[in-house]
Amino acid sequence: MNSPASLVDELMAQLQGAPLQQMAQQLGTSPAQTQDAVGAALPLLLGTLGRNAAQPQGAMDLFGALQRDHSGSPDLGGLLGSLLGGGGSAGGGQPDGAAILGHIFGGNQQRAETGLGQVTGLGSNAGQLLQMLAPIVMSFLAQRMSSGGMDAGGLGQVLGQEQARVQQQGGLGGGLLGSLLDQDGDGQVGLGDLLKIGGGLLGGRR
């Protein structure tokens, strides 16, 4: 498969090693469980952004937010250091993450956190994980946007392709995204199905 790496794969590669270990420490979970959870959360975040950016106004809003709030942000390493290293308050010291989540998920935020918590076994820590990841995802997109010289249309296109890819690949992240996007449809992917997928994925450790 020589297709360009997905945004999820690229970002996952940058989080390997110390960042994932720091997240695991903050969440009080094992590195393996944290990796599984991040592997489900990133497609959920990027796929939802793709859905939001499918409308021209949504793409413009996201483009504006990335330019305004994230274009001058430190590189990913610096951002990870400030998010995961400092602060000392493992609990709630990241208002930015919470605000970004509100913008990404809107009225579905609680559902997204609950679904992620159930399928990954993180429970109430899922919201904390999403709050850690949200600024990382936005900073990553801002860097991609500036290095690629993207406009709002280009950003919407890239995220739209990512959403399609997430849904095609399925897995936990794709299933979560599907259940979130299906809430106003026929709800084809129920949480019961997701829990089965999750049980298979997380229970399959040798």
Side-chain angles (χ1 to χ4, degrees):
M1 293 274 293
N2 285 333
S3 60
S6 71
L7 298 179
V8 169
D9 292 342
E10 249 182 81
L11 194 44
M12 197 71 188
Q14 294 189 39
L15 292 175
Q16 292 304 314
L20 271 171
Q21 286 181 326
Q22 286 174 299
M23 285 184 195
Q25 280 175 345
Q26 286 207 9
L27 293 169
T29 52
S30 71
Q33 187 184 19
T34 306
Q35 167 122 359
D36 281 344
V38 171
L42 288 179
L44 180 62
L45 286 164
L46 284 159
T48 306
L49 282 167
R51 189 209 99 167
N52 297 352
Q55 309 299 327
Q57 186 58 51
M60 286 298 296
D61 288 349
L62 178 60
F63 184 77
L66 289 172
Q67 274 193 316
R68 185 181 66 244
D69 300 331
H70 301 277
S71 60
S73 56
D75 66 3
L76 211 53
L79 180 72
L80 289 168
S82 64
L83 271 176
L84 302 174
S89 61
Q94 291 154 19
D96 287 345
I100 295 166
L101 283 187
H103 289 303
I104 293 177
F105 291 117
N108 281 327
Q109 184 177 342
Q110 193 57 55
R111 195 180 286 134
E113 291 179 6
T114 305
L116 183 67
Q118 286 182 313
V119 299
T120 58
L122 278 186
S124 57
N125 280 344
Q128 192 186 344
L129 176 68
L130 286 171
Q131 283 187 38
M132 286 181 208
L133 289 173
I136 293 170
V137 166
M138 295 293 273
S139 171
F140 171 72
L141 287 177
Q143 286 176 341
R144 283 296 295 262
M145 201 170 79
S146 57
S147 66
M150 278 183 230
D151 59 6
L155 178 67
Q157 201 176 2
V158 165
L159 282 167
Q161 289 166 350
E162 190 69 11
Q163 181 196 338
R165 185 177 290 183
V166 166
Q167 290 185 282
Q168 277 167 357
Q169 287 179 342
L172 277 184
L176 277 169
L177 180 66
S179 76
L180 209 59
L181 302 186
D182 271 341
Q183 290 303 324
D184 42 5
D186 55 2
Q188 282 176 324
V189 185
L191 205 51
D193 300 332
L194 273 181
L195 289 169
K196 279 183 230 152
I197 303 173
L201 203 77
L202 302 173
R205 291 213 167 308
R206 291 276 171 276

